[in-house]
């Protein structure tokens, strides 16, 4: 029986760069949510190893050994000694190199699927080490739930998920290199997030995001891809938007809305004005 795992899009509502480590990685303090849209991974026993990529964003990706899905599979095999042939299908819907963790979510979904196939508990410490070795975002994508995340991405404090809202994800079709965005930072010792109050409504939450949080990667990402500024302006002009910002190292930006229906309406309006942008309404919780 094939196993299907969803690789949901990760959105950084806030991303503070608070330091730099001797190995060159950055200490971060982030608020992340996961949208109810993403890629899908289908795993099935097979006569030989197969890896197929389909879906609307398949063209942006090659199925070679550098692909995070195959690196996850190889890492899992090294960890467990398990060598049975496997067929993996990745249905790619999220834009590549776009700040919403697509590749990390694909690797995490592959690991979740392999754990289900082989009865490895999801909290196995060896799995956490493997996940982090594949990428700083992979551990949080294994959890795939709203959280405050710090360290380079390994310290995950889940939030309750009681606050629901609509999300609009907008990508102008420009890939931003994450290392290049980090290299463009003017300061690396910025303040961390303040303590998080409990939020019982969207308004205090968006006030908190607007006044007390940042995405420190936004200025260097905008220098690399100035079109990010156009996306943020177009989002801010939408009548029912409550808050807008860039996610990760860009170029995807997001808007928060009261609910998914409002995000869907906004998506239709924005798509008329920018038919060449990738525009996806979604729902999320924090
Ligand atoms: O871990 P991942 O491969 O997703 O990171 C991509 C790049 O982003 C790293 O090579 C590094 O340049 C940068 N990065 C960083 N600090 C982090 C996460 C990523 O400097 N916490």
């Amino acid at each position: 029986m094939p196993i299907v795992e969803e690789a949901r899009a990760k959105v950084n509502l806030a991303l503070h760069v608070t330091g730099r480590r001797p190995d060159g990685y950055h200490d971060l303090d982030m608020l992340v949510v996961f949208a109810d849209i993403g890629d899908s991974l289908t795993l099935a026993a097979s006569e030989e190893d197969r890896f197929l990529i389909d879906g609307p964003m398949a063209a942006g990706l090659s199925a070679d050994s550098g692909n995070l899905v195959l690196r996850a599979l190889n890492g899992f095999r090294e960890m467990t000694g398990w060598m049975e042939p496997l067929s993996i299908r990745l249905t790619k819907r999220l834009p590549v190199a776009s700040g919403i963790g697509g590749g990390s979510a694909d690797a995490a979904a592959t690991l979740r699927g392999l754990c289900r196939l082989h009865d490895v508990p999801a909290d196995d410490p060896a799995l956490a080490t493997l996940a982090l070795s594949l990428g700083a975002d992979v551990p949080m994508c294994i959890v795939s739930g709203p959280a405050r995340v710090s360290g380079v991405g390994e310290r995950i404090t889940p939030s309750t998920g009681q606050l629901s809202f609509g999300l609009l994800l907008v990508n102008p079709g420009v890939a931003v290199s994450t290392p290049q965005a980090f290299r463009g930072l003017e300061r690396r010792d910025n303040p961390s997030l303040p303590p998080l109050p409990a939020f019982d409504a969207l308004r205090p939450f968006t006030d908190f995001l607007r006044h007390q949080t940042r995405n420190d990667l936004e200025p260097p990402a905008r220098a690399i891809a100035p079109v990010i500024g156009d996306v943020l302006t177009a989002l801010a002009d939408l009548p029912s938007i409550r808050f807008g910002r860039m996610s990760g190292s860009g170029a995807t930006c997001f808007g928060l809305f009261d609910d998914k229906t409002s995000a869907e309406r906004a998506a239709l309006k924005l798509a008329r004005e920018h038919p060449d942008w990738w525009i996806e309404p979604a729902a999320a919780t924090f």
Side-chain angles (χ1 to χ4, degrees):
M1 275 292 282
I3 280 191
V4 180
E5 283 284 340
E6 303 305 332
R8 300 196 296 148
K10 167 222 69 169
V11 177
N12 300 95
L13 299 185
L15 191 163
H16 293 203
V17 179
T18 57
R20 191 184 204 180
R21 300 187 170 195
D23 65 1
Y25 265 66
H26 293 79
D27 278 310
L28 306 174
D29 198 0
M30 305 181 277
L31 299 180
V32 298
V33 297
F34 285 82
D36 64 345
I37 59 164
D39 302 335
S40 306
L41 271 295
T42 310
L43 278 57
S46 173
E47 279 154 22
E48 56 179 15
D49 273 346
R50 283 197 200 103
F51 180 37
L52 168 101
I53 307 178
D54 61 10
M57 291 290 173
L61 211 59
S62 61
D64 60 24
S65 59
N67 190 293
L68 271 172
V69 168
L70 293 185
R71 289 179 49 207
L73 173 63
N74 291 336
F76 187 86
R77 283 178 167 160
E78 273 170 32
M79 178 182 125
T80 57
W82 169 83
M83 289 294 159
E84 301 294 307
L86 188 74
S87 129
I88 303 183
R89 178 169 144 205
L90 164 61
T91 302
K92 192 80 201 157
R93 301 186 191 90
L94 303 175
V96 175
S98 74
I100 49 177
S104 306
D106 296 343
T110 304
L111 292 178
R112 280 199 311 269
L114 288 166
C115 286
R116 269 168 71 193
L117 276 171
H118 301 287
D119 287 328
V120 175
D123 58 358
D124 188 317
L127 184 73
T129 306
L130 168 60
L132 190 60
S133 77
L134 294 169
D137 283 351
V138 179
M140 70 175 101
C141 289
I142 291 204
V143 181
S144 199
R148 178 173 181 169
V149 181
S150 60
V152 297
E154 78 285 8
R155 274 208 300 278
I156 301 168
T157 310
S159 80
T160 60
Q162 278 169 355
L163 192 65
S164 316
F165 42 86
L167 266 182
L168 186 60
L169 303 181
V170 183
N171 184 281
V174 177
V176 175
S177 145
T178 303
Q180 197 187 345
F182 274 104
R183 276 199 300 275
L185 282 167
E186 276 186 13
R187 293 190 65 117
R188 295 178 165 80
D189 55 349
N190 306 295
S192 52
L193 287 165
L196 283 195
F199 297 106
D200 55 2
L202 189 58
R203 181 63 194 266
F205 188 48
T206 54
D207 283 346
F208 173 82
L209 291 174
R210 183 175 292 113
H211 299 300
Q212 305 209 44
T213 73
R214 318 174 298 276
N215 182 345
D216 288 329
L217 290 176
E218 190 183 306
R222 285 175 73 151
I224 296 164
V227 67
I228 291 168
D230 301 338
V231 176
L232 289 168
T233 304
L235 277 169
D237 285 344
L238 291 167
S240 52
I241 191 165
R242 302 295 180 219
F243 178 73
R245 181 171 276 165
M246 189 187 87
S247 176
S249 55
T252 305
C253 300
F254 63 90
L256 294 192
F257 293 80
D258 289 340
D259 47 39
K260 189 169 183 174
T261 309
S262 307
E264 283 165 349
R265 273 195 220 109
L268 291 175
K269 178 171 157 39
L270 198 57
R272 277 196 298 274
E273 292 158 16
H274 296 281
D276 51 334
W277 289 358
W278 178 83
I279 298 169
E280 284 292 330
T285 65
F286 183 77

